[in-house]
């Protein structure tokens, strides 16, 4: 038995909330307390007869342009290849990491190798036949959640479980088990790195759990710039600076804090974990534990940046806008980040400045995103399975003194899944931009950017992707106004037919009255008008006396197309001087001397004569002699046989 002083007290409480919110919808939430931790679970209605692509929640799905396939992986480690054109399953292999859970998926620049990360701290390299080539030991044999794998031309970068970067150089891929190399830049982040992105020629961006984005030079592997305007450390330093300079006339020039117009205080049914923890624990316990972060499914209210919860600072995705490389020098945005509380932020990597930010999903917690290759559309998805498509072709392209807080134009909004969306990818097929989404509801869906459903991978019916033109949307009010204007402008004028009356003869003597079809009916009148307007036939006549045809006979000046030409009488012919024939056509002197001579033969003109013995080697002459003898022998034998 241990003394009572060494026994830790454990307190756990469960509370189920079956009440209804203001709109009458049942909350069905379960609250769990374990010492200093508070967790909330949301219950959802079970969807029957749904199509499932995997048996377990799908972690990621990527599009492969080389094989025209969609590759998806679930938490159980089952990799499946699907045909993007029809949705048909091509191949599948399971247990990629044994009994460990798979967390991420990536492919190299040649798109012939697949990289899978797991909770056991390893990354495995596969081909499309299910053969494993290498195992990357990321955490030295210890369990660790691999968050993202970034494959570059000369190295592989792995992040997600620590505050430093794990790099594997191509020179180390000689053995099956590959150990990480040293990152020369060391540790720059204060919290765990959750995501990264690369742009040529040598810029690497990493985002951490506290909201800080750091730009690295991959040649020197040192940090070059810090984007900390919307990080926990940057906001804490700014608040201390404001408190110190409160009474000073010199104010620090800082970026204004964005506020949400719909921000309200925490509702009674909303629970924010860090706020409760801060009231009962010391600052040392508020620090998030290392390892994988789980996103709470409880709805949280949107407030200012200073009032964000613990996960609200996290940067979950980073994407460089490759089509905007030239905007970096001019001050435009070329880097996009997203994460906690539904925020999307646009950065200028050259100046490490915040260009624009807005809330893409209200009360949605964490979000993820993807960008099309032309950087015209940004797709965001939240934990409720909702997808939004934003038009960013003209958004945040110019330098601004203060960050832009208005939202870009939203193209469409739809809900392809009933649970959290874990992965997004964009591909183009038959001139249509398609969105590939993988969700925790065990399905991989395919939609276009206009919100049209193509299908779910794994369904019985195969689909066919055809070109699509979105309909032109016209507002109903504009149509009604146009119809009213048209009705007002159209005035009905009375015509002769509307004022028709029968003739007196038809009333008084109907038996003798006869109607003249040509003069009294509409058909007859129209036919007469057509006959009158018809062109009259003309018989061919004689050609008139035109001046330009008979000007020579009549003596009149020409008036035709050649009247502008000036014609004069020809000059009299003068005496011609004949050339001296004897001078030009005489016989050449001395030409008759060589008429009968012939050129000497080549053999006679050679100074030295060459015979076969001196011109060819001896072995060639011997071989030729043997061949002649052999042919003569064969001829003699044939002649004897015939005789």
């Amino acid at each position: 038995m241990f003394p009572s002083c060494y026994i830790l007290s454990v307190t756990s409480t469960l509370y189920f909330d079956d009440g209804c919110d203001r709109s009458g919808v049942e909350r069905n939430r379960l609250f769990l307390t374990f010492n200093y931790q508070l967790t909330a679970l949301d219950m959802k209605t079970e969807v029957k007869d749904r199509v499932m692509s995997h048996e377990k929640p799908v972690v990621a799905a990527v599009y492969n342009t080389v094989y025209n396939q969609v590759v998806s992986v679930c938490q159980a480690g089952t990799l499946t290849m699907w045909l993007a054109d029809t949705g048909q399953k091509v191949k599948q292999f399971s247990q990629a990491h044994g009994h460990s859970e798979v967390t991420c998926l990536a492919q190299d620049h040649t798109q012939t190798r697949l990289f899978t990360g797991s909770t056991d701290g390893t990354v495995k390299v596969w081909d499309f036949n299910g053969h494993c080539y290498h195992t990357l030991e990321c955490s030295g044999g210890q369990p660790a959640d691999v968050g993202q794998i970034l494959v570059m031309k000369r190295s592989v970068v792995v992040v997600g479980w620590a505050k430093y970067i794990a790099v594997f150089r191509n020179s180390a891929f000689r053995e099956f088990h590959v150990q990480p190399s040293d990152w020369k830049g060391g540790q720059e982040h204060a919290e765990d790195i959750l995501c990264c992105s690369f742009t040529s020629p040598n810029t690497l961006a990493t985002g951490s759990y506290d909201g800080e984005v750091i730009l690295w030079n991959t040649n020197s592997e040192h940090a070059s710039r810090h984007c900390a305007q919307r990080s926990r450390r940057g906001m804490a330093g700014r608040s201390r600076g404001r408190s110190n300079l409160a009474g000073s006339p010199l104010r620090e020039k800082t970026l204004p804090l964005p506020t949400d117009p719909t921000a309200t205080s925490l509702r009674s049914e909303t629970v924010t974990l860090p706020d409760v923890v801060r009231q009962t624990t010391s600052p040392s316990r508020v620090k998030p534990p290392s390892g994988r972060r789980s996103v709470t499914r409880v709805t949280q209210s949107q407030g200012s940046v200073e009032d964000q919860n613990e996960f609200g600072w996290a940067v979950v995705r980073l994407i460089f806008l490759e089509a905007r490389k030239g905007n970096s020098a001019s001050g435009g945005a070329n880097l996009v980040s997203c994460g906690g509380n539904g925020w999307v932020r646009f950065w200028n990597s050259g100046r490490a400045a915040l260009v624009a930010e807005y809330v893409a999903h209200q009360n949605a917690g964490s979000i993820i995103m993807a960008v099309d290759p032309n950087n015209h559309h940004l797709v965001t998805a939240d934990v409720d399975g909702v997808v939004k498509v934003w038009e960013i072709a003209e958004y945040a392209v110019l330098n601004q003194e203060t960050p832009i807080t208005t939202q870009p134009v939203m193209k469409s909004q739809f809900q392809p899944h009933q649970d959290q969306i874990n992965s997004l990818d964009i591909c183009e097929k038959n001139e249509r931009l398609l969105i590939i989404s993988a969700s925790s509801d065990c399905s991989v869906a395919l939609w276009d950017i206009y919100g049209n459903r193509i299908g779910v991978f794994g369904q019985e019916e195969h689909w066919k992707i055809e070109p699509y033109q979105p309909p032109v949307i016209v507002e109903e009010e504009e149509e009604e106004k146009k119809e009213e204007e048209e009705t007002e402008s159209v005035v009905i004028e009375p015509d002769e037919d509307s004022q028709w009356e029968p003739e007196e003869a038809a009333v008084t003597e109907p038996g003798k009255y006869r109607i003249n079809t040509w003069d009294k009916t509409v058909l007859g009148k129209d036919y007469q008008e057509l006959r009158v307007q018809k062109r009259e036939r003309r018989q061919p006549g004689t050609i008139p006396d035109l001046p330009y045809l008979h000007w020579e006979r009549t003596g009149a000046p020409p008036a035709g197309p050649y009247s502008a030409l000036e014609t004069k009488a020809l000059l009299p012919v003068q005496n011609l001087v004949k050339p001296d024939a004897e001078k030009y056509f005489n016989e050449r002197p001395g030409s008759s001397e060589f008429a009968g001579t012939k050129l000497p033969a080549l053999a006679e003109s050679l100074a030295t004569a060459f015979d076969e013995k001196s011109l060819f080697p001896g072995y060639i002459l011997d071989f030729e002699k043997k061949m002649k003898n052999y042919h003569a022998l064969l001829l003699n034998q044939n002649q004897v046989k015939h005789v």
Side-chain angles (χ1 to χ4, degrees), residues 170-336:
N170 290 353
S171 58
F173 284 80
R174 299 176 180 175
E175 300 179 356
F176 182 79
H177 292 278
V178 183
Q179 300 298 326
S181 304
D182 293 333
W183 183 259
K184 300 177 183 178
Q187 177 183 338
E188 290 285 342
H189 285 279
E191 293 292 343
D192 293 350
I193 303 173
L194 301 182
C195 59
C196 58
S197 181
F198 175 78
T199 182
S200 59
N202 53 8
T203 303
L204 174 68
T206 56
S208 63
Y209 190 76
D210 61 352
E212 186 177 13
V213 178
I214 298 180
L215 301 173
W216 306 78
N217 188 323
T218 55
N219 293 335
S220 62
E221 296 184 355
H222 285 82
S224 58
R225 291 173 295 277
H226 290 249
C227 302
Q229 290 89 337
R230 293 294 180 262
S231 65
R232 181 188 299 150
R233 181 168 57 179
M235 297 303 296
R238 188 174 294 112
S239 61
R240 288 195 299 268
R242 283 198 300 269
S243 61
N244 295 334
L245 299 177
S248 174
L250 298 176
R251 298 280 181 170
E252 181 184 5
K253 185 178 180 181
T254 58
L255 294 175
L257 297 178
T259 56
D260 187 9
T262 61
T264 56
S265 60
L266 293 177
R267 300 178 182 176
S268 59
E269 68 271 10
T270 303
V271 176
T272 306
L273 174 62
D275 296 338
V276 179
V277 174
R278 291 192 191 98
Q279 296 176 5
T280 57
T281 59
S282 60
S284 61
R285 293 185 178 270
V286 179
K287 182 178 179 180
S290 60
R292 189 181 182 186
R293 267 58 173 184
S294 60
V295 183
T296 178
R297 302 305 303 267
V298 179
T299 302
Q300 298 172 352
S301 61
Q302 298 288 336
S304 63
V305 177
E306 292 179 336
D307 297 333
Q308 292 188 84
N309 56 15
E310 182 180 3
F311 191 77
W313 301 104
V315 179
V316 180
R317 291 289 188 276
L318 278 172
I319 299 177
F320 275 102
L321 303 178
E322 297 294 338
R324 294 193 185 183
K325 284 189 175 182
N327 293 4
S328 177
S330 61
N334 65 335
L335 176 64
V336 188

Side-chain angles (χ1 to χ4, degrees), residues 321 323-336 344-349 353-358 375 378 391-400 402-409:
L321 303 178
R324 294 193 185 183
K325 284 189 175 182
N327 293 4
S328 177
S330 61
N334 65 335
L335 176 64
V336 188
V344 176
R345 295 184 171 93
F346 288 75
W347 305 85
N348 181 278
S349 62
L354 179 64
V355 181
E357 60 180 350
Y358 67 94
N375 302 151
L378 172 69
E391 295 182 356
I392 60 170
E394 302 296 333
Y395 186 74
V397 295
L398 300 177
N399 186 18
Q400 302 289 338
T402 58
I404 303 172
T405 56
T406 58
Q407 293 183 349
V409 178

